[in-house]
Amino acid sequence: MRIGVLTGGGDCPGLNAVIRAVVRKGVASYGHEFVGFRDGWKGPLEGLSRPLGIAEVRGILPRGGTILGSSRTNPFKIENGVERIKENLAAQGVDALIAIGGEDTLGVATKLHELGVNVIGVPKTIDNDLGATDYTFGFDTAVNIAMEAIDRLHTTAESHHRTLVVEVMGRHAGWIALHAGLAGGANVILLPERNFDVEQVAGYVEKRFQHQYAPIVVVAEGAQPLEGQMVLQNQELDAFGHVRLGGIGQWLAEQLEAKTGKEARTVVLGHIQRGGTPTAFDRVLATRLGLQAIDAAHEGDWGKMVAMQSTDIVRVPLAEATRELKTVPLERYAEAEVFFGS
Ligand code: F6P
């Protein structure tokens, strides 16, 4: 078979490890050939490809980003998008696609499968918010980056008796905030799943100062105050209809400073959370998902997404995996709340 591989949506550490595993096993065990499509769905849409063999995947296991490039192109928003993809696949003699992506990229994969394209999906996102898989690679790396930042901020916050608000990624799901906040011993953690009361947050911060210990507040970019609107950087939507977030941390620091009388500063971790080398956990997970994806393709088990369930790598229907986002259950949040303000 000749199989196209693409990576779509926000990049994350571990994408290259998947590509490497797919190609290494595909060539060595099954004798398949590969084509690398560039920049997500833009690649097959515009016929943009590059060679992808064993030589091209040497040395990429520890490299962050994606050698194939990525974009948020949505072929369903482009005239004749699906027909163009089908034509380009046929022109390049490509029998099937392995699409590595999050909810948007795999949403496209789901629809293309229904329209007769042979597709296997591999879940990725630092947000860990895809259904049907317990973990996505990239998440562990992002959490460790955020945790290390929190550790460092503790010592400087302490020296200056300041509140430090750390804004982490997480549009609709607060997994990064929850895990990094728990691991880093945050004073308060705020998630998109539950609107927060700024007065209560100020109370936690005051209490922490009473213990002579400077508070670190971890806030997910999608968290919102009780009666407020989500704080937006600009109102432009991408091809999948998402707004660009950012700004809640700054707003919150201003509020906390005004309410507590103690200086409050903001650190926005932003894309630092998505860059650089993957952790060992993410490298292993990405590799195992890649191996299962090429097995599924070899068997012609189309329309499946590979997933981690418990410690096993399994296959689930793409449609099931993209049905709904996996958000933080409130009982998980309650575990973190035990430590707030104390
Ligand atoms: O979905 C991954 C993610 O990093 C989100 O946490 C974040 O909201 C978004 O992508 C940012 O996307 P972009 O890099 O396109 O601004």
Side-chain angles (χ1 to χ4, degrees):
M1 256 191 292
R2 199 165 147 80
I3 301 170
V5 182
L6 66 87
T7 52
D11 71 342
C12 81
L15 287 168
N16 286 325
V18 179
I19 298 168
R20 167 182 175 269
V22 164
V23 173
R24 288 281 292 271
K25 185 164 189 185
V27 172
S29 303
Y30 302 130
H32 296 313
E33 276 178 28
F34 293 89
V35 175
F37 281 111
R38 294 181 187 274
D39 300 340
W41 291 113
K42 192 172 175 208
L45 191 71
E46 297 182 10
L48 305 173
S49 65
R50 51 162 282 172
L52 190 62
I54 300 275
E56 284 76 22
V57 301
R58 285 260 181 250
I60 67 171
L61 173 64
R63 269 176 59 188
T66 160
I67 60 165
L68 297 177
S70 191
S71 75
R72 295 194 186 276
T73 306
N74 183 351
F76 287 91
K77 285 276 156 68
I78 290 166
E79 216 181 314
N80 300 325
V82 175
E83 290 70 30
R84 281 168 62 189
I85 286 181
K86 285 184 173 173
E87 278 163 26
N88 284 324
L89 294 183
Q92 301 210 21
V94 172
D95 306 295
L97 283 175
I98 293 183
I100 311 166
E103 46 157 335
D104 298 328
T105 306
L106 296 182
V108 170
T110 308
K111 289 196 226 160
L112 285 179
H113 168 66
E114 285 158 9
L115 296 170
V117 179
N118 296 333
V119 193
I120 301 292
V122 180
K124 71 84 229 184
T125 165
I126 63 163
D127 297 344
N128 197 39
D129 59 0
L130 271 172
T133 186
D134 291 349
Y135 282 99
T136 46
F137 63 86
F139 172 65
D140 185 63
T141 306
V143 167
N144 276 285
I145 292 167
M147 179 195 73
E148 197 196 319
I150 295 167
D151 287 349
R152 288 174 187 278
L153 292 170
H154 266 298
T155 62
T156 173
E158 208 52 41
S159 309
H160 292 271
H161 317 289
R162 283 174 179 147
T163 303
L164 273 169
V165 176
V166 187
E167 183 182 306
V168 298
M169 280 187 165
R171 211 195 289 269
H172 305 295
W175 291 106
I176 296 177
L178 181 75
H179 280 229
L182 261 180
N187 186 44
V188 195
I189 303 168
L190 306 172
L191 312 182
E193 286 84 348
R194 199 163 91 188
N195 291 5
F196 62 86
D197 176 359
V198 71
E199 298 293 341
Q200 191 185 28
V201 177
Y204 289 140
V205 164
E206 294 270 18
K207 210 163 152 210
R208 178 57 77 94
F209 277 120
Q210 283 161 18
H211 298 307
Q212 307 296 326
Y213 196 47
I216 305 289
V217 176
V218 175
V219 58
E221 62 182 342
Q224 297 177 64
L226 269 185
E227 283 153 38
Q229 288 291 304
M230 196 181 282
V231 180
L232 306 176
Q233 211 166 58
N234 70 38
Q235 302 278 349
E236 272 172 43
L237 301 183
D238 69 15
F240 288 94
H242 301 303
V243 289
R244 223 171 113 193
L245 298 179
I248 189 69
Q250 185 55 36
W251 178 86
L252 184 58
E254 284 162 15
Q255 297 287 317
L256 293 177
E257 186 165 306
K259 289 183 194 305
T260 65
K262 296 268 189 340
E263 187 183 6
R265 297 282 189 92
T266 311
V267 175
V268 181
L269 293 183
H271 293 85
I272 289 173
Q273 295 158 96
R274 287 213 321 235
T277 191
T279 58
F281 179 90
D282 282 340
R283 292 183 200 190
V284 173
L285 175 57
T287 298
R288 294 183 69 206
L289 290 171
L291 295 175
Q292 181 71 237
I294 189 60
D295 286 350
H298 182 68
E299 291 166 25
D301 196 5
W302 310 121
K304 294 290 165 58
M305 182 186 88
V306 294
M308 183 188 196
Q309 293 186 354
S310 181
T311 53
D312 296 328
I313 305 297
V314 299
R315 297 176 201 167
V316 294
L318 262 172
E320 183 187 310
T322 52
R323 197 166 297 138
E324 66 179 32
L325 275 191
K326 183 183 68 191
T327 53
V328 176
L330 290 180
E331 58 271 22
R332 286 294 305 276
Y333 190 56
E335 293 173 359
E337 276 181 304
V338 171
F339 302 94
F340 290 3
S342 55

